[in-house]
Amino acid sequence: MVSIQNVVSTCKISEKIINLQETAKNIPNSYYTPNKFNAVVIKYTEPKATTMLFNSGRLVCTGAKHMADNKLACEKTAFLLGTHYMSEYTIQNIVGSGCMGKCIDLIGLAKTHKQIVQYEVELFPGANVHFPDIKATGLLFTTGKFIITGVKHEPDLYTFYNMLVDLLKPFLYEKQDFGI
């Protein structure tokens, strides 16, 4: 099965230019190091997520494993900023991962499905899968583990996963233990 590991969103929480130095002083668990990154980084434990607030009033939220937690972290930042305003909330990326429970013959998969699978073991140990109907990428490993990224809607994550399961059925095998 696939489970969500990260939800990334953007939104706008202020129409005014924000003084990042002052904001970082007034918001708990935040830091601002303009020589490294020109945004206030706010880390939440509840919900578990990180927001990055830019002086333009734009916000990026990452690290949440649930859509609702992602949105709640954005709303919480707007509340702490005192704006109680949030617009243009958009999911930019959902990352899911899981394990097929068996090993994957990536060489056979890549040879059989050249049009949708790229695998160059000399460059990287994983194979990339791109289905033409969904704008997402699957990253597969011989261990059976996989990552799906580039999805913007949660149902598309599960659709991609189901397509992956169907594609991989002939290429799954039990790991051999030679006792060495």
Side-chain angles (χ1 to χ4, degrees):
M1 191 65 194
V2 63
S3 60
I4 295 175
Q5 297 302 317
N6 189 17
V7 178
V8 180
S9 70
T10 57
C11 66
K12 190 157 182 78
I13 63 169
S14 177
E15 291 295 327
K16 300 175 185 169
I17 298 296
I18 298 171
N19 181 329
L20 298 179
Q21 198 78 41
E22 283 299 310
T23 301
K25 289 179 189 174
N26 296 324
I27 295 181
N29 299 319
S30 67
Y31 59 92
Y32 178 54
T33 52
N35 56 336
K36 290 185 179 182
F37 187 58
N38 203 21
V40 173
V41 177
I42 307 162
K43 294 193 175 270
Y44 295 111
T45 54
E46 193 56 44
K48 190 170 182 341
T50 299
T51 60
M52 293 157 276
L53 175 64
F54 295 87
N55 70 349
S56 64
R58 301 229 30 105
L59 183 75
V60 175
C61 182
T62 186
K65 292 190 176 202
H66 303 283
M67 311 290 267
D69 287 349
N70 181 284
K71 191 165 187 178
L72 181 60
C74 293
E75 291 168 344
K76 193 172 183 178
T77 304
F79 178 81
L80 288 172
L81 203 62
T83 66
H84 307 281
Y85 166 85
M86 190 169 89
S87 68
E88 303 171 34
Y89 178 81
T90 307
I91 299 295
Q92 299 295 337
N93 187 23
I94 300 171
V95 178
S97 70
C99 186
M100 290 293 167
K102 293 184 177 183
C103 295
I104 305 169
D105 174 13
L106 294 180
I107 295 171
L109 177 69
K111 284 180 180 177
T112 306
H113 298 283
K114 292 177 187 170
Q115 65 280 15
I116 61 170
V117 178
Q118 293 82 43
Y119 181 53
E120 295 184 45
V121 71
E122 300 84 13
L123 299 177
F124 186 72
N128 287 305
V129 176
H130 301 275
F131 292 114
D133 300 340
I134 298 179
K135 282 192 171 187
T137 299
L139 186 56
L140 310 173
F141 298 93
T142 57
T143 60
K145 293 186 179 183
F146 64 88
I147 299 168
I148 300 170
T149 188
V151 177
K152 292 190 179 212
H153 305 284
E154 191 173 358
D156 289 343
L157 177 69
Y158 303 111
T159 299
F160 191 100
Y161 170 73
N162 289 329
M163 291 169 72
L164 205 55
V165 168
D166 290 342
L167 178 75
L168 294 177
K169 281 180 185 173
F171 303 98
L172 296 176
Y173 65 94
E174 295 291 336
K175 183 178 179 180
Q176 300 294 315
D177 183 13
F178 296 107
I180 298 174

